[in-house]
Amino acid sequence: MHRNLSLVRLLFSSPAAASLLSPHCSLPFLLRSLSSNPHPPPSAPRRRLLPSSVSPSLSPLLKEDAIATLSSLWISSFRNPSSTITSLSDHLTRPELWILSYQKVYADETGSYLPKSSISHTALDDILVLRNAVLDGRFRWGARLEFFIRSPRDKTDLSSLSKRKIRALLTNPQPSPFQDRIVQEVLLFLLEPVFEARFSQKSYAFRPGRTAHTVVRTIRRSFAGYLWYLKGDLSTILDGVKPGLVLSALIREVRDRKIVDLIKSALVTPVVTGNPAEDEAKKKKKKRKYQKKRVLAEDEPKPDPYWLQSFFGFAPAEADKYPNWGHCGVLSPLLANICLDELDKWMEGKIKDFYKPSKADVIWTGEEGDIEQGNTSWPEFVPTSGPDKTRKMDYIRFGGHILVGVRGPRADAAELRKQLIQFCDHRFQLKLDNESVPIEHITKGIMFLDHVLCRRVVYPTLRYTATGGKIISEKGVGTLLSVTASLKQCIKQFRKLEFLKGDRDPDPQPCFRMFHATQAHTNAQMNKFLSTMVEWYRYADNRKKVVNFCSYIIRGSLAKLYAAKYKLRSRAKVYKIGARNLQRPLKDKKGQSPEYNELMRMGLVDSIEGLQYTRMSLVPETDYTPFPSRWKPDHENFLLEYIKLEDRKTLDEQRKCIREEGLITPQEYVSMLVWNYKKNAVMLPPLGENDAQKAKEELLGLTHDSENRIGDDDVSGHILQAAQM
């Protein structure tokens, strides 16, 4: 998430990004401007200059626009998604991509954005040296002592280190080097647009524009009516696979040797890891001492606030694991999706083979199964299965977890599970069994992303008009797919964060981590946490219930904390002084003083933000916004629309349609006015609301003697239509 936010900030902070999104800027113009700028020559021996100075030979590097380069790569990838890529390493020579990658890694390292104009000459020189080392094959992943470019926070003098410190540096686990992360970002810039145009629409994790909310909305939209569900846990693939499997999946689309060799060396190069047993022994031997509060340096990023750490603790099991293969770093999630995309394509083929429509069905009757006759997200009737019902299945994948819905007998689901186990064993060398891919009935409830899918029987009232115009109302019976948040899972996560104890009767525990914070700061932190919880359960049917429960736990936890902090003995005493939402000050019992309201009105005391959602009526309703059947993220829709408008056939089709409908474009109407004015030197009167017939007569009279006259009927229809426009 931090990577996407930082990248968006970098992309749209450039002035060229605004010009690219402008409707007056065309892609050919951007490409001509990029191709007209030659690549800079290799850098000369480095000179140590002041950070604000830039060498004249390197100044052209700051004028190159990486946004335009990446945009052209995205557009070309989506224009020809089936073509094999053979010249991707040509982009490695472009210095603007390396500068953008440096800005991104610099922002992640220091927590502050570095404008392109503020990059020092030394840093630019080092960036070019790193680029040349990658192109020449001199770059090595995981280097500890030899760096082409170093982190701005790394002030260590390697020449003055002792042998003991050098040995510890080489044998102990260390974070990924700064130069490795720059190379990883450049490879991600190049590979992501290539594979995003080729990935299946059934995968959602580790992809831009697709989140867990998208999965929940897709399930609500497309999984109604399924009786049997298969849940598969393939998350062991995210822990690591054989490099040969990754490279074989990569080579199918990218035939660039330089790119493939870089990724192969990142996967094969061993990573220095510590011994878990020794680490645990050191922790036990280390005595707990009083630790002073550490002051952060100016260029050191601040840690995540407490509310954000708490929310990260609520991550569901499907989103809890993040792949990190070898020295690939941020490239690992993309490589994982590249490997699992073969499974997605295989399942898409199974969906087409499994589909068998039935004329007696009321929902799916088309030949392909993607066109429904009713609304499956909130239907009155969603038949599940039977001999006269359509056999259908659907599939979705989030990271290493899959969910398959089957509309048919259980034997079909068992046969599909058998084929799935054989496919994973053959392609990924992944040993699965029936327990790892269970078949569950919809009536038992299926847990996915901490949301429970279940079938709810509804009895809608059907109203129809009988013979003679009489309106008849009858009670019907139907099933409804319910997507609810798991309250049991919510209690489990709160217990893990030490906010409560107990299962049947949860009892809030004091949040002692906020003991030294002020009441205003503590309330503000917990309000941010509750706001994120409200957004997380946005599409759950029981949104009000689960958010109100979260508010109860947080409010009780803070009440116990304040009771211990201000020596008020009980929660009831805290609520009496601080009100139900803990808005009044508890220190020295100021909330009970009669002068407090007057001082608040005069603005002489600081206000304390009360806790939100203390009542169920304050919690927003569930979002039931309709979800499109063939949904795509906004950036893909923009790219496809841009490619369509750039195609000459689109304009020809629009003109043909206008001609067939007997319409006239505003441009043609204006040209006719100008031509008649030039020919006859007579200006037509302005059109009023009821002057369509008058304009028709005027234009017909002026064009009556023209040599290139057209038929009266055509002109009459065109002019009348234009006048009405």
Side-chain angles (χ1 to χ4, degrees), residues 674-690:
V674 173
W675 171 251
N676 287 319
Y677 176 73
K678 288 183 177 181
K679 181 179 179 182
N680 302 293
V682 176
M683 186 63 183
L684 291 178
L687 293 178
E689 295 182 359
N690 300 320

Side-chain angles (χ1 to χ4, degrees), residues 107-227:
D108 293 341
E109 182 78 6
T110 62
S112 60
Y113 171 66
L114 180 67
K116 189 185 294 186
S117 58
S118 301
I119 301 178
S120 64
H121 168 263
T122 304
L124 287 174
D125 196 3
D126 292 340
I127 291 171
L128 292 180
V129 171
L130 176 62
R131 182 199 65 173
N132 296 335
V134 171
L135 294 175
D136 298 341
R138 294 180 286 109
F139 173 76
R140 295 293 179 269
W141 296 96
R144 298 294 182 89
L145 299 177
E146 298 179 358
F147 300 105
F148 299 101
I149 185 172
R150 298 178 64 179
S151 170
R153 293 175 51 197
D154 188 5
K155 308 298 182 182
T156 306
D157 186 8
L158 298 177
S159 60
S160 61
L161 293 179
S162 62
K163 293 183 179 180
R164 181 179 61 83
K165 291 184 177 181
I166 293 177
R167 187 183 303 108
L169 187 65
L170 294 176
T171 56
N172 294 335
Q174 300 289 337
S176 182
F178 187 77
Q179 63 180 15
D180 287 15
R181 283 179 281 168
I182 293 178
V183 180
Q184 293 165 6
E185 289 291 343
V186 172
L187 292 176
L188 183 64
F189 288 160
L190 300 180
L191 291 176
E192 189 174 40
V194 172
F195 286 97
E196 278 296 323
R198 293 163 169 78
F199 280 155
S200 169
Q201 298 296 325
K202 303 293 185 180
S203 64
Y204 291 87
F206 315 130
R207 298 184 61 185
R210 291 172 169 85
T211 61
H213 276 169
T214 313
V215 176
V216 174
R217 299 184 71 187
T218 304
I219 290 174
R220 185 190 294 279
R221 171 65 179 80
S222 304
F223 277 69
Y226 294 125
L227 189 65

Side-chain angles (χ1 to χ4, degrees), residues 440-714:
E440 300 179 359
H441 197 270
I442 183 63
T443 55
K444 295 184 178 180
I446 290 88
M447 177 83 70
F448 198 74
L449 288 174
D450 286 355
H451 287 69
V452 180
L453 316 180
C454 57
R455 186 177 63 176
R456 187 172 59 187
V457 180
V458 293
Y459 302 93
T461 301
L462 304 180
R463 294 180 176 87
Y464 59 92
T465 304
T467 306
K470 184 180 179 180
I471 299 178
I472 299 178
S473 298
E474 292 182 355
K475 283 287 185 179
V477 180
T479 57
L480 187 69
L481 180 64
S482 178
V483 182
T484 59
S486 174
L487 193 60
K488 181 179 179 181
Q489 194 70 13
C490 184
I491 294 174
K492 179 181 178 181
Q493 302 290 6
F494 268 123
R495 193 188 309 112
K496 184 175 66 174
L497 296 173
E498 299 180 355
F499 273 99
L500 57 81
K501 65 178 182 180
D503 290 333
R504 295 185 177 180
D505 190 12
D507 183 25
Q509 296 299 300
C511 177
F512 284 116
R513 286 192 59 180
M514 304 295 293
F515 187 83
H516 297 285
T518 61
Q519 183 182 352
H521 178 70
T522 303
N523 286 6
Q525 289 282 306
M526 292 306 167
N527 276 336
K528 291 180 180 179
F529 173 67
L530 287 174
S531 299
T532 55
M533 297 300 295
V534 168
E535 184 63 24
W536 167 238
Y537 293 117
R538 181 176 181 177
Y539 301 101
D541 291 339
N542 59 341
R543 183 188 191 185
K544 281 180 169 290
K545 180 180 178 181
V546 70
V547 171
N548 186 256
F549 173 77
C550 294
S551 178
Y552 161 75
I553 295 297
I554 296 298
R555 190 165 58 95
S557 177
L558 292 187
K560 286 191 174 183
L561 171 67
Y562 293 150
K565 183 176 181 179
Y566 299 111
K567 300 179 181 180
L568 298 177
R569 297 184 180 179
S570 65
R571 284 187 286 176
K573 190 71 172 177
V574 173
Y575 293 141
K576 183 178 180 181
I577 300 174
R580 179 184 177 88
N581 58 355
L582 305 177
Q583 179 177 332
R584 293 175 173 270
L586 295 167
K587 189 175 183 181
D588 300 331
K589 301 181 181 180
K590 291 181 181 179
Q592 284 184 326
S593 62
E595 297 86 3
Y596 177 73
N597 290 333
E598 186 67 20
L599 294 175
M600 280 285 296
R601 187 182 64 82
M602 298 173 62
L604 299 179
V605 293
D606 296 333
S607 62
I608 298 177
E609 183 181 359
L611 288 181
Q612 299 176 345
Y613 314 115
T614 54
R615 299 186 184 275
M616 188 175 291
S617 59
L618 301 176
V619 181
E621 296 283 349
T622 304
D623 189 355
Y624 289 113
T625 305
F627 196 62
S629 59
R630 298 181 181 181
W631 177 88
K632 290 183 179 180
D634 292 339
H635 70 278
E636 290 189 10
N637 289 327
F638 294 155
L639 286 170
L640 296 176
E641 187 69 18
Y642 181 87
I643 294 171
K644 182 179 179 182
L645 294 176
E646 198 181 32
D647 191 1
R648 180 71 181 180
K649 295 181 180 179
T650 304
L651 183 59
D652 295 339
E653 291 176 359
Q654 292 177 351
R655 289 178 175 176
K656 182 180 179 181
C657 180
I658 291 174
R659 208 178 302 115
E660 291 176 353
E661 295 292 335
L663 304 176
I664 182 172
T665 62
Q667 292 84 351
E668 293 176 351
Y669 176 68
V670 172
S671 64
M672 291 175 62
L673 294 178
V674 173
W675 171 251
N676 287 319
Y677 176 73
K678 288 183 177 181
K679 181 179 179 182
N680 302 293
V682 176
M683 186 63 183
L684 291 178
L687 293 178
E689 295 182 359
N690 300 320
D691 291 341
Q693 185 65 24
K694 185 177 179 180
K696 171 185 173 182
E697 295 174 357
E698 291 287 346
L699 288 175
L700 287 176
L702 292 174
T703 58
H704 183 69
D705 298 330
S706 176
E707 295 180 357
N708 300 324
R709 49 190 292 186
I710 59 178
D712 294 340
D713 296 337
D714 295 339

Side-chain angles (χ1 to χ4, degrees), residues 185-392:
E185 289 291 343
V186 172
L187 292 176
L188 183 64
F189 288 160
L190 300 180
L191 291 176
E192 189 174 40
V194 172
F195 286 97
E196 278 296 323
R198 293 163 169 78
F199 280 155
S200 169
Q201 298 296 325
K202 303 293 185 180
S203 64
Y204 291 87
F206 315 130
R207 298 184 61 185
R210 291 172 169 85
T211 61
H213 276 169
T214 313
V215 176
V216 174
R217 299 184 71 187
T218 304
I219 290 174
R220 185 190 294 279
R221 171 65 179 80
S222 304
F223 277 69
Y226 294 125
L227 189 65
W228 302 99
Y229 285 83
L230 279 75
K231 282 181 57 180
D233 185 4
L234 313 180
S235 57
T236 53
I237 294 180
L238 304 183
D239 296 332
V241 295
K242 295 182 179 179
L245 296 177
V246 182
L247 296 176
S248 62
L250 181 67
I251 292 175
R252 278 195 293 268
E253 304 294 341
V254 177
R255 301 293 179 86
D256 194 302
R257 183 162 186 169
K258 176 64 68 176
I259 300 294
V260 174
D261 288 346
L262 273 174
I263 297 177
K264 180 181 179 180
S265 60
L267 292 170
V268 173
T269 303
V271 180
V272 178
T273 57
N275 190 352
E278 294 181 0
D279 296 340
E280 290 293 334
K282 290 181 180 179
K283 290 182 180 179
K284 292 180 180 179
K285 291 182 180 179
K286 187 177 181 180
K287 295 182 179 179
R288 185 175 181 179
K289 298 180 180 179
Y290 175 75
Q291 295 180 354
K292 295 183 179 180
K293 293 183 178 180
R294 190 172 65 88
V295 179
L296 298 177
E298 295 182 357
D299 57 347
E300 187 175 0
K302 295 182 180 180
D304 293 332
Y306 177 66
W307 70 269
L308 190 58
Q309 297 177 15
S310 302
F311 178 69
F312 286 160
F314 269 79
E318 290 82 1
D320 195 23
K321 186 172 291 187
Y322 190 86
N324 189 9
W325 297 350
H327 294 279
C328 293
V330 296
L331 202 61
S332 301
L334 178 63
L335 297 178
N337 275 333
I338 292 174
C339 292
L340 292 173
D341 185 64
E342 187 175 357
L343 172 63
D344 300 337
K345 300 294 178 59
W346 181 79
M347 285 299 302
E348 287 181 351
K350 289 296 179 182
I351 290 174
K352 293 182 179 179
D353 297 339
F354 188 81
Y355 178 69
K356 292 183 179 180
S358 174
K359 295 182 179 180
D361 204 296
V362 297
I363 300 294
W364 296 284
T365 57
E367 296 182 358
E368 298 296 332
D370 54 351
I371 301 177
E372 296 110 359
Q373 303 297 326
N375 183 10
T376 59
S377 61
W378 193 262
E380 292 182 348
F381 290 101
V382 181
T384 53
S385 64
D388 57 342
K389 304 301 180 183
T390 298
R391 294 175 65 244
K392 193 176 186 297

Side-chain angles (χ1 to χ4, degrees), residues 14-16 37-38 40 51-66 95-96 99-100 102-103 114-121 123-125 127-128:
S14 173
N37 294 328
S52 60
S53 60
V54 178
S55 173
S57 61
L58 296 176
S59 59
L61 299 181
L62 302 180
K63 298 180 181 179
E64 296 283 349
D65 188 7
E96 63 269 19
I99 293 175
L100 180 61
Y102 175 80
Q103 289 177 285
L114 180 67
K116 189 185 294 186
S117 58
S118 301
I119 301 178
S120 64
H121 168 263
L124 287 174
D125 196 3
I127 291 171
L128 292 180

